[in-house]
Amino acid sequence: MATLREVSSVTVGGKGSALSSASVYAIANGLAQVRVDSSVLDKLSPTHPLSSTSLDISNSNPRYLTLEEARASLVVLLNKLVLTQTGIRPVLPNFISETLNREFAPETLDFSSVSGFLDSFLRLNGTNLEETGVTDGELVVLKNSSYYLDGICALLDCSSSALSTTAEAVAALSCEGLKADVSMVLNFLDSGDGFSIKDEIAVASDMKVLLVGSNLVRSKLVGSSNDSESISEIPKVHGSFREVVRLIHSRTRVELNSSVKIGKAGSGFSVGSGKPLVTTFSPLATSLLLLGESSFRRAELLASYQNVDIRSRVLEMFEMCCPNVDSLRDGFRLALQAVSEVNYLSFLHEIYNLVGRVREILAWEGALAILSLDSFELEEKTPEVTAVPSRVEAGKGNANAEKKSQKKKKVALGKGTAVIRQLIKDRLKKEGGDLVESLAVLNDWIRDLSLFFNPKDPELDAFLKKMKEIVESNEARRLPKLPKGTRDFAKEQMAIREKAFKIIEEVFKMHGAMALDTPVFEMRETLMGKYGEDSKLIYDLADQGGELCSLRYDLTVPFARFVAMNGITSFKRYQIAKVYRRDNPSKGRYREFYQCDFDIAGQYEAMGPDFEVVKVLTELLDKLNIGDYEIKLNHRKLLDGMLEICGVPAEKFRTICSSIDKLDKQSFEQIKKEMVEEKGLTVETADRIGTIVKKRGPPLEILSELKQEGSQFLENNGSVLALKDLEILFKALDKSKCIHRVVFDLSLARGLDYYTGVIFEAVFKGTTQVGSIAAGGRYDNLIGMFGTKQIPAVGVSLGIERVFNIMEQLEKDGSQSVRATETQILVSILGDDLSQAAELVGELWSANMKAEYLVNKRVMKHIDRAKESRIPWMVIVGEREQSEGVVRIKDIEANKEEVVPRDRVVEELQRRLNSTSL
């Protein structure tokens, strides 16, 4: 929204132009002139037939508006006329622009009816209705556009936008004036759980920016204080106000710039209407009430927080002169009463009055905050009187202690609030000083701040711009900060990552998998409904060109979409790429992370792909050499059979599975409480589930137990099929000598909705606590969701970020060693001849050797570089070597050197590197 001082001249109409609330406010308050674009006037018809319709059309409006409201109404009417064009002559737009560019008394215009308005308006412009007449098009605009309501809406929009920013600036000053605990304010910053309210986060973030560097506020909870509620409610109250202001701004912009459609019979309709405006602006009345009450409470606290010498007088002045909460509630009631009486103009008028009352309370809060901060500075400058020490205490140590005790901590305001305070004090032309003197001018301060906080004041623009500049400069976060749940990878971590990816790719390719890449975002409809309760963790993107997209949650659903789109019936693929989850970050749990997926889609022998996928997982984890792990395995049909046996209704299978899946993190008692109290199971059913899900152990042993005669699982068709599948799978895993890595665990549920068969999850058993490191299963119905064919598939996904954490810890512990670079040779030129280094290192690069160079006169610089980067070989060339046509080749680990001819250096290094690799 343009600021008022930027709109000293407003052109209505013209290509691409749009009327803003700031423009309406500026013209309404005589801060800007208005003109109609000449190209628009040319399009209007000067000879359109006059209306024969009766003008006895009543609007049930008050006869007169205030001057500001009348001028705002005329601006909107002017815009409606030039936008509508059909049946509009230039005469009315010209009269309106001329009227707005001169002074007139508000009582000269009668808004009570169309005829009353036309008659009074034309007389104001030296003509009358008989001479000028009115067309059907002009009449329809006057009757249907609600221009008088839209004008006041524009005033409210502009005023409330300014009030929102001003209120936050004053609230920040109050936090310091009260030496408040702002920990509860900062707690509103995004927790990462996906359920935070955007505007509350924004207010808390801006408050943090304004208060950064302040030693007056506390950012950690220290006991309890009477200011806790009035401070902790700032994000909620101000965030709600921001949200409402944004809503009314959007609505007002539409209302101001909508034309009136003219029908064939001269009838018409417009977007503008009183009822929608009430729906939009009623929340503004509520938010103003809450904002005013919150500001009043802080102002009252500030009054009682003043220096003891003036406290009682300040409180007395505050109680007598500051608009109280009752006056706000009276204004709110009047607005609601106007709605019940269907008097929409009066409704908006009362809200506008409410804005004025809140502005005055903010002036009190701001003035008292400044007074409080002035008193802190005065106390700082006042020397502290200390008792004379006794002779016993008169030693040197006590003298130093006394000096130390006399030192006071200098008052430091926040980087943002210091600027705000100075801007306000510059306006007040007051530099602090004696408190009694300040009290004498307190009334002047409040009166001046009430004017200053009004959008009519020319100095408010500079204040609002400075506020925006402070917040956007983001002093509190000027030091770069990573978003929660993400991480950077430095050179050592990148080396570990590249090593891991190389191993993983080799294993995937060894099994004949082909690489695939898919977009980082998908159509939202592609992802939704595939992840059960975890769907709430999908990152949605803003609407761009009518397509609703989301960041991919995993690589499996995009793979299924790709297979279906391309009509593929058989595909063994791998993909290593980033996925995104709007999760609550914790140790080993990220919002952005890599997944390494291996999937087999198509018709194969029974359990063949399932066996290969589990085998691939064991090979990956063995070759990554991270330590001990286990693969928990279950079958979705067995799980569903168990739930059916226990008496769980079929429609609750998936939600109960989500609860059971948490058993690795929570006790069964916690899960039982969730299943009973939140998901509606009986206690008996939950207990039966608890008895079965506790079964876990060696696969063949547990399988044998479940297949014993009399087992309930043998009476359930789904369970029987699952047990047959598992028998085939376990025998294959046994023969491939990896079944010792697998644990048959009936509590494993995997909350994702698309699993239909075998499900598994790899868990690291070492000291580094990272949780699940890989998971997967069979999903026979997922691909069919995107096409006409059901293509069975099974896959595994390795959560590589958690594997990285384990490998990094092993590196720190010395269990594994990874170099940040693969550099084999350091070319060391002892001097300053770059060309010599370029020649030699160029020969090594041409021979496909991994080499770096360093040009420096100090020998130890070269040796330190080689040791730090763990480069095994050095080629050293100094003045002596250059003159003799030789180089020295140094083995860093063995600490041995050998002189070789310069022309044989490449050949010699190749020989040494080849022998080392052997």
Side-chain angles (χ1 to χ4, degrees), residues 304-504:
S304 62
Y305 202 67
Q306 298 301 322
N307 183 287
V308 66
D309 297 331
I310 61 169
R311 186 181 304 151
S312 60
R313 292 162 60 195
V314 170
L315 278 167
E316 183 182 355
M317 188 185 301
F318 175 77
E319 289 169 4
M320 287 178 60
C321 304
C322 181
N324 56 29
V325 172
D326 287 339
S327 71
L328 293 174
R329 291 173 181 167
D330 288 342
F332 180 71
R333 278 193 291 269
L334 286 171
L336 295 184
Q337 183 180 336
V339 173
S340 67
E341 295 170 357
V342 199
N343 190 338
Y344 301 136
L345 195 143
S346 181
F347 163 70
L348 294 172
H349 185 78
E350 290 301 336
I351 298 178
Y352 199 38
N353 288 339
L354 203 54
V355 170
R357 289 195 189 96
V358 174
R359 189 186 293 131
E360 192 174 345
I361 293 172
L362 282 174
W364 273 91
E365 183 186 357
L368 290 169
I370 296 291
L371 187 63
S372 186
L373 293 173
D374 280 357
S375 70
F376 296 157
E377 284 193 349
L378 191 63
E379 287 173 12
E380 178 193 326
K381 293 173 184 175
T382 306
E384 195 171 294
V385 179
T386 55
V388 179
S390 65
R391 288 183 183 179
V392 179
E393 298 170 331
K396 185 177 179 181
N398 286 328
N400 288 339
E402 182 192 338
K403 264 188 185 179
K404 191 174 180 182
S405 71
Q406 289 184 29
K407 286 184 181 177
K408 290 186 179 181
K409 192 174 183 180
K410 188 175 180 181
V411 171
L413 272 65
K415 290 185 179 179
T417 48
V419 175
I420 293 167
R421 179 194 179 207
Q422 193 56 52
L423 286 170
I424 291 176
K425 293 198 72 171
D426 288 345
R427 167 62 186 235
L428 298 174
K429 296 183 174 55
K430 186 71 183 174
E431 298 181 359
D434 183 69
L435 288 178
V436 176
E437 183 187 346
S438 297
L439 181 58
V441 296
L442 183 58
N443 262 329
D444 294 337
W445 284 16
I446 292 157
R447 188 164 48 252
D448 204 4
L449 284 184
S450 292
L451 295 172
F452 180 42
F453 293 161
N454 193 316
K456 298 176 190 176
D457 194 293
E459 293 182 19
L460 181 63
D461 276 347
F463 181 78
L464 297 178
K465 282 180 181 176
K466 194 64 184 178
M467 272 290 293
K468 184 179 179 184
E469 183 185 312
I470 293 167
V471 170
E472 290 182 353
S473 69
N474 217 353
E475 283 290 337
R477 299 181 294 275
R478 180 50 63 95
L479 289 175
K481 177 181 178 293
L482 274 175
K484 291 178 182 178
T486 63
R487 61 183 301 202
D488 288 323
F489 288 88
K491 57 184 182 179
E492 294 84 2
Q493 291 147 337
M494 281 301 297
I496 292 170
R497 186 160 117 176
E498 287 172 354
K499 175 186 173 183
F501 282 155
K502 187 175 180 181
I503 291 169
I504 292 163

Side-chain angles (χ1 to χ4, degrees), residues 753-764:
D753 274 5
Y754 53 65
Y755 286 128
T756 58
V758 168
I759 50 176
F760 50 86
E761 185 174 277
V763 179
F764 180 61

